[in-house]
Amino acid sequence: MKRRKKRIMLLVPMLHQGGFERVCVATARLLEPFYEVYVVIFDSSDIAYDIKGINVIDLRLGSKKGVPAKIVQVIRRCIHVMRLKDSLGIDIAYSFGPTANLINALTRRHNQVWLGVRSYMDMGNPKQIRFFAKHSDKLICCSEMIRREIEEKFKCDHAYTLHNPFNIADITASAAQEEAEIPWEDGRIIVSMGREDVVKGFWHLLKIFSEVHKKLPDTKLMIIGKGEFEEYKQLAVDLGIDDAVYFTGLKRNPYPYLKRSTLYLLTSYNEGFPNALVEAMALGIPVVATDCMTGPGEILEDKYGILVPNMSPEPDMNAGNITAEEKTVASCVTGLLENEQEMERYRKLALERASMYSTEKYVQKIQEWVEDV
């Protein structure tokens, strides 16, 4: 008698642009050949990823304003997810991010509950982590540092590390699918990718670039990601670099834009596992990144790219205030751009490191866990 495929629910609030949303979609595609996979979302608006062929269930229970409405929405989500777990015969429910984790934990039935801790910012809520640890079979962390901290602080013996997967061949192919529409024909392009979010430290990015641009006038800056970026556009004007800065907006295929770039600069003061950093490396782009609590240090290991000290988390839109730490990073970036031999060395190291986060290793680890259920 043929054994029934295990049934896996991937639970995520939305599928707009973001790191764990990308990983959720990638996980669904990678696991489909082996299991019955259902992606359950609370709200289908603003989907940024290709979900063609994926079994997506939209609960149509988006976010609400106000505490009473939020509580009611949590209850409604729990009822719907609980019913789905029963009707679909779900064996494993794996959730991405705190909002989905809460619903998954509250609807723990006969199925296994796997909760994904996707950012070091999640560690700022110890009560929540303690609750997740108590009501899960696995706490899946995107970085080893987060896993160790959960294990030590919360005495959790079921925390595991699972680095995000990257299909290098697909990234390379997507980069060649179309031409990037950028406003410059030549010059070196520094790039950074991420939605408009204070955690990304984009004010640091612009000030650092302004210092680089003074010494290397042919350099340009491109920021790929969703958002209006009005404050940052004004900061670029105030810094006198607005003609050398391009905000692309959301790009469903950002890889042609990454491919046109010369160097990737990450200025986040907090990350979990920065997908965009590895995606840039997969295209052979040298990287400079802040050594924030988790992510860049684990990826670069002070070998595969250049780590610079983390910077202030306080937004500063004053163009007249460029800090010593921003000037130090600018000097590092300028020095690297001027040294073609070092640039070539880091191109090769970037490709080498990106290949270590293969989809094969990712699937193999999940399969090992699934077979234990």
Side-chain angles (χ1 to χ4, degrees):
M1 182 177 177
K2 188 177 180 180
R3 189 175 66 168
R4 171 178 80 81
K5 281 186 176 181
K6 285 203 168 75
R7 296 173 183 175
I8 298 176
M9 173 187 288
L10 303 179
L11 189 64
V12 67
M14 299 176 70
L15 290 175
H16 56 189
Q17 187 183 40
F20 66 71
E21 293 87 349
R22 185 199 74 80
V23 174
C24 178
V25 172
T27 302
R29 293 205 180 280
L30 291 169
L31 297 186
E32 273 186 328
F34 312 102
Y35 312 109
E36 288 187 33
V37 180
Y38 304 87
V39 175
V40 177
I41 58 178
F42 301 151
D43 184 358
S44 63
S45 62
D46 205 19
I47 291 179
Y49 298 96
D50 178 14
I51 59 171
K52 185 178 180 181
I54 298 176
N55 193 346
V56 176
I57 300 172
D58 179 12
L59 298 185
R60 298 180 182 177
L61 296 171
S63 61
K64 297 288 185 181
K65 294 182 179 179
V67 174
K70 288 179 183 292
I71 292 172
V72 170
Q73 199 71 324
V74 166
I75 294 170
R76 293 177 68 198
R77 288 171 176 176
C78 284
I79 291 170
H80 281 72
V81 170
M82 197 178 299
R83 287 174 178 170
L84 277 174
K85 286 183 176 182
D86 287 343
S87 64
L88 296 174
I90 297 299
D91 298 297
I92 298 161
Y94 177 15
S95 48
F96 297 77
T99 307
N101 284 344
L102 177 62
I103 304 303
N104 197 8
L106 289 173
T107 57
R108 194 178 189 188
R109 310 277 285 167
H110 304 298
N111 61 285
Q112 283 255 316
V113 167
W114 297 359
L115 309 182
V117 183
R118 311 296 312 172
S119 169
Y120 192 77
M121 291 179 71
D122 296 348
M123 303 300 292
N125 190 338
K127 287 184 179 179
Q128 180 176 261
I129 296 293
R130 194 171 288 111
F131 177 82
F132 289 165
K134 183 178 179 181
H135 296 278
S136 64
D137 297 287
K138 277 183 171 58
L139 274 185
I140 300 177
C141 309
C142 61
S143 87
E144 178 61 17
M145 183 175 176
I146 292 176
R147 185 204 68 78
R148 285 199 305 266
E149 193 163 322
I150 288 176
E151 185 177 75
E152 293 167 7
K153 283 189 176 180
F154 302 98
K155 309 303 178 188
C156 178
D157 62 358
H158 54 275
Y160 300 85
T161 302
L162 182 64
H163 290 133
N164 295 345
F166 297 89
N167 189 317
I168 309 302
D170 282 356
I171 291 172
T172 304
S174 295
Q177 277 181 0
E178 57 191 86
E179 287 294 321
E181 297 179 3
I182 59 177
W184 317 293
E185 293 183 2
D186 52 21
R188 292 172 284 198
I189 299 175
I190 296 171
V191 67
S192 197
M193 187 160 74
R195 66 189 180 281
E196 184 180 2
D197 192 321
V198 67
V199 76
K200 302 298 182 183
F202 286 136
W203 70 92
H204 288 307
L205 178 69
L206 287 162
K207 291 181 179 183
I208 291 165
F209 172 71
S210 72
E211 292 293 298
V212 174
H213 190 63
K214 287 177 187 176
K215 296 183 178 180
L216 302 174
D218 73 313
T219 55
K220 311 294 192 297
L221 174 65
M222 181 163 58
I223 299 176
I224 306 168
K226 181 184 176 184
E228 297 300 322
F229 290 96
E230 293 302 331
E231 282 187 298
Y232 300 104
K233 289 175 182 176
Q234 184 58 52
L235 179 57
V237 171
D238 295 343
L239 288 164
I241 55 172
D242 52 302
D243 61 342
V245 179
Y246 178 41
F247 296 87
T248 72
L250 173 65
K251 294 296 177 185
R252 294 185 184 276
N253 179 10
Y255 302 121
Y257 293 82
L258 282 177
K259 186 181 178 182
R260 282 292 305 275
S261 305
T262 311
L263 181 143
Y264 192 93
L265 178 55
L266 182 147
T267 54
S268 300
Y269 63 81
N270 219 326
E271 285 284 355
F273 190 95
N275 293 322
L277 188 68
V278 181
E279 288 167 339
M281 295 172 78
L283 292 170
I285 300 172
V287 299
V288 175
T290 47
D291 192 12
C292 51
M293 286 301 294
T294 64
E298 196 166 321
I299 293 167
L300 301 183
E301 293 185 344
D302 212 14
K303 171 185 175 183
Y304 297 100
I306 297 176
L307 285 169
V308 295
N310 208 0
M311 294 177 285
S312 168
E314 296 300 323
D316 180 4
M317 301 298 172
N318 181 359
N321 182 33
I322 298 179
T323 65
E325 57 190 11
E326 289 163 346
K327 289 181 179 179
T328 297
V329 178
S331 178
C332 171
V333 170
T334 302
L336 180 57
L337 287 172
E338 289 182 316
N339 189 332
E340 182 52 39
Q341 187 175 352
E342 279 294 274
M343 286 288 289
E344 183 58 28
R345 186 170 75 87
Y346 278 117
R347 287 185 193 108
K348 292 177 180 177
L349 285 170
L351 288 168
E352 179 186 331
R353 185 55 168 167
S355 68
M356 297 179 190
Y357 297 107
S358 70
T359 54
E360 291 79 12
K361 291 179 182 177
Y362 182 82
V363 171
Q364 182 181 7
K365 185 169 281 192
I366 291 180
Q367 283 183 308
E368 289 172 1
W369 293 340
V370 171
E371 295 311 310
D372 284 341
V373 175

